[in-house]
Every structure is written in structure tokens, then in C-alpha cells.
Amino acid sequence: LPRTANVIRYADHEVWNLKTGPEVRAFLRAEFPQLGDDVITEEACEAFARAEPGAFPSPQYVPEVAAVMSGACGFLVGDAIHAFPPDLGQGVNSALEDVLALGD
């Protein structure tokens, strides 16, 4: 069965400016060269180009978690702290972005 994928990028990311299937295909070839053209159909590229992007809310600061962790020498990242639905598979992605943010 075909599987879907979620593209999670900031609202001003170039991916949201792609307007045609060929533009989507070119983006995918550049960003994911390991994917063969047979993995994503032309119809899927066209559908992506026509679709309206959705949005996830920005991560929120939760004082209750901070209070529990007060004085601890560690951080919760990824699935441990973000409430993404499990079917999105974004735990590692959000953990990597969390670590990047902690480094700033």
C-alpha cells in the first residue's frame, strides 16, 4: 500500500512555494537524491503542488514540566516532551531540532 509522508518545515521554507509537479520533483531530487523517481509518482508531485500546507503549533513552554525538572542536570527532547501524534514519526526530528535550539 502507498504510504504518506509529512513535510514539516517552517512557514517561510521554499518547499511551500513550489507550484507545479515538476518543481516538486526537482526539489525532491535535490533534497533527497537517494529516492528514485519511481518512489513518488508524478500525480503525487502534482497533488503536493496543489495542496494547501497545514501547520503544527510551535513548541510550547510548559511550566509544570520545568517545575518538576527544576535543578535536574538533563533535558527532555523529542517524544519525551513534544506531543506529536505517534503516526507522524517526528520524535527524532523534534529531538534534533531541540538539541540545535539548546546549542544556540
Side-chain angles (χ1 to χ4, degrees), residues 17-76:
N17 296 321
L18 303 175
K19 302 298 181 200
T20 68
E23 288 178 353
V24 173
R25 173 70 67 203
F27 175 83
L28 293 173
R29 283 179 180 151
E31 295 296 316
F32 305 100
Q34 70 275 21
L35 292 179
D37 284 347
D38 60 330
V39 175
I40 301 170
T41 65
E42 294 301 321
E43 294 81 16
C45 290
E46 289 292 340
F48 184 91
R50 288 190 309 268
E52 288 293 322
F56 285 109
S58 297
Q60 302 295 310
Y61 173 73
V62 181
E64 293 80 11
V65 174
V68 171
M69 296 298 293
S70 179
C73 294
F75 295 96
L76 297 177

